[in-house]
Amino acid sequence: MPLIDGLTTLWDTLTSAQPDPPPLLVVLTAVVAVAVVAARVPWRIARNAVTIAHEGGHALMALLTRRKLHGIRLHSDTSGLTLSAGRPDGPGMILTLLAGYVAPSLLGLGGAWLLAGNRITLLLWLAVALLLAMLVLIRNLFGALSLLVTGGIVLAVSWYTPPEVQAAFAWTSIWFLLVGGVRPVFELRRQRSRGRMPQSDADQLARLTPFPPLFWVGFFLLVALGALAAGTLLLTGPLLADVGLTG
């Protein structure tokens, strides 16, 4: 049947593995990602992607813990807000608060695992699906535009560009999530030290648990650095194999 044949072809396309990337691509995309995170102006623009992942983490955990999710707002200053209703304390609220700062790094680690298997097409299509799902939850114009632009870029790359461009885009994006997941934690620490974020996730967690805010900042950092280390091992597999350091 044509429908079944089409679905089979689509599934084969999504799950098929692309060739190993050139080692130079792995290195260059890592350098580009680090440069974007380190530079002030590029980071200011690209940080919206980290905010999308951050608020998406809050929203997903709220749904998983059966809290009532009211919506997500993304702002032009790269801040965001996820509103949910339910018990003001307890495991559901704690896990929802906990999910934000660790989401970009864990998302990057998941992406690194897919790229380690050269599942570039699957990675890009999953990204589009997640962005579309999140779009339903957006409650402000800037947030909707941010998701539409981001999703449109990913869709255009996956649909219209050659495999080499898709690979470069995918590796750069995942390196960015892994490296970019670390910087917001340091920004949180700096802002808290200046008394500018009294309602941060870390402060709210401190009010719900026996642990102080700095404990939670340290926990966020530990997860981000751990994901970066694990993701680096996954993403540099082809490079290490090329120089004879693995397998």
Side-chain angles (χ1 to χ4, degrees):
M1 295 178 64
L3 178 58
I4 295 178
D5 292 341
L7 291 175
T8 301
T9 301
L10 177 61
W11 177 254
D12 290 341
T13 300
L14 288 176
T15 58
S16 63
Q18 284 73 34
D20 286 338
L24 182 60
L25 180 143
V26 177
V27 174
L28 289 179
T29 53
V31 170
V32 169
V34 171
V36 169
V37 173
R40 183 175 181 179
V41 175
W43 170 247
R44 171 82 181 193
I45 299 171
R47 196 186 194 283
N48 283 291
V50 175
T51 302
I52 290 172
H54 180 115
E55 300 304 328
H58 283 315
L60 176 61
M61 190 56 67
L63 291 173
L64 291 176
T65 56
R66 298 188 176 183
R67 293 179 61 81
K68 186 175 181 181
L69 187 61
H70 288 311
I72 302 170
R73 291 179 176 270
L74 304 173
H75 303 131
S76 58
D77 62 355
T78 71
S79 66
L81 179 65
T82 299
L83 298 173
S84 64
R87 285 186 56 185
D89 53 13
M93 187 64 192
I94 292 172
L95 290 172
T96 298
L97 288 168
L98 191 62
Y101 275 97
V102 303
S105 296
L106 295 181
L107 190 61
L109 181 58
W113 177 74
L114 287 175
L115 288 183
N118 291 328
R119 299 302 197 275
I120 298 173
T121 302
L122 180 60
L123 171 68
L124 296 176
W125 281 45
L126 281 175
V128 173
L130 289 173
L131 290 167
L132 287 176
M134 192 172 173
L135 181 62
V136 178
L137 304 171
I138 292 295
R139 296 295 181 265
N140 68 324
L141 179 59
F142 180 83
L145 290 175
S146 295
L147 286 179
L148 287 172
V149 170
T150 305
I153 291 173
V154 178
L155 181 62
V157 170
S158 67
W159 196 264
Y160 295 110
T161 64
E164 297 81 6
V165 175
Q166 294 181 25
F169 180 83
W171 253 266
T172 303
S173 299
I174 296 305
W175 277 121
F176 173 76
L177 284 174
L178 290 169
V179 180
V182 177
R183 179 166 174 172
V185 183
F186 284 103
E187 293 176 342
L188 171 64
R189 174 69 183 91
R190 185 171 62 252
Q191 294 294 324
R192 285 197 70 262
S193 68
R194 298 173 182 176
R196 296 180 179 178
M197 296 187 68
Q199 298 298 322
S200 71
D201 293 350
D203 288 275
Q204 293 184 66
L205 284 166
R207 289 192 285 270
L208 296 174
T209 66
F211 305 107
L214 282 179
F215 171 87
W216 293 109
V217 175
F219 178 81
F220 296 154
L221 183 59
L222 182 64
V223 172
L225 292 177
L228 175 58
T232 297
L233 289 176
L234 288 169
L235 292 175
T236 57
L239 176 62
L240 297 177
D242 188 70
V243 297
L245 295 180
T246 63

